[in-house]
Amino acid sequence: MEVVAAVFTDGDRVLACRRNAGLAAGGLWEFPGGKPEAGEPFPAALEREIAEALDVEIEVGELLDRSTTMVDGLPITLACYFVRPLGEGPTTSTDHDQVCWFTRDRLLWLDWAPPDMPAVRRLVSATS
């Protein structure tokens, strides 16, 4: 399964979102995003998913990480891109009960969804 995610940054702060309890990976933190539709380019899919879930228009930047993680026997390939909002940043989400900014040194304190961990480690190591 292919998934794309948005990494919002503001100086040393990074946006993380906690999945709603009733959803897959409920209660875990992640970078917001979703699944591309058949034939949809990753940047376009990310723009669409963020507009739907966070009601924010974004500009997609550089790829931070693309890794495959096994979750319940299913390989999930997550491509995380740096993004910037075109206007105000996100404050609410249809898929998350919390949308919060954390300094990079606090990211490892959160209970992350396993597919997001490679990108989290890259963000944290960039500050070391």
Side-chain angles (χ1 to χ4, degrees):
M1 174 186 312
E2 296 276 356
V3 182
V4 293
V7 178
F8 290 85
T9 59
D10 180 15
D12 190 43
R13 298 183 322 144
V14 178
L15 185 83
C17 300
R18 192 175 72 179
R19 296 278 291 172
N20 285 331
L23 300 176
L28 298 179
W29 292 86
E30 67 177 3
F31 298 114
K35 298 178 199 109
E37 295 174 357
E40 185 178 30
F42 283 7
L46 192 52
E47 290 170 358
R48 177 183 53 76
E49 288 285 348
I50 296 304
E52 290 172 3
L54 302 178
D55 196 27
V56 172
E57 289 186 42
I58 59 168
E59 177 180 64
V60 178
E62 178 182 341
L63 178 69
L64 167 65
D65 183 76
R66 186 171 189 261
S67 299
T68 301
T69 305
M70 294 298 288
V71 176
D72 297 328
L74 175 69
I76 297 178
T77 301
L78 177 63
C80 294
Y81 291 86
F82 286 109
V83 301
R84 74 173 186 87
L86 301 176
E88 292 297 315
T91 57
T92 61
S93 170
T94 58
D95 296 332
H96 305 92
D97 62 3
Q98 290 190 44
V99 176
C100 303
W101 291 92
F102 297 93
T103 57
R104 290 179 193 225
D105 63 339
R106 299 265 172 127
L107 293 177
L108 291 175
W109 294 12
L110 303 175
D111 190 10
W112 287 91
D116 292 78
M117 281 306 300
V120 170
R121 286 188 198 100
R122 282 185 178 262
L123 285 167
V124 171
S125 69
T127 63
S128 302

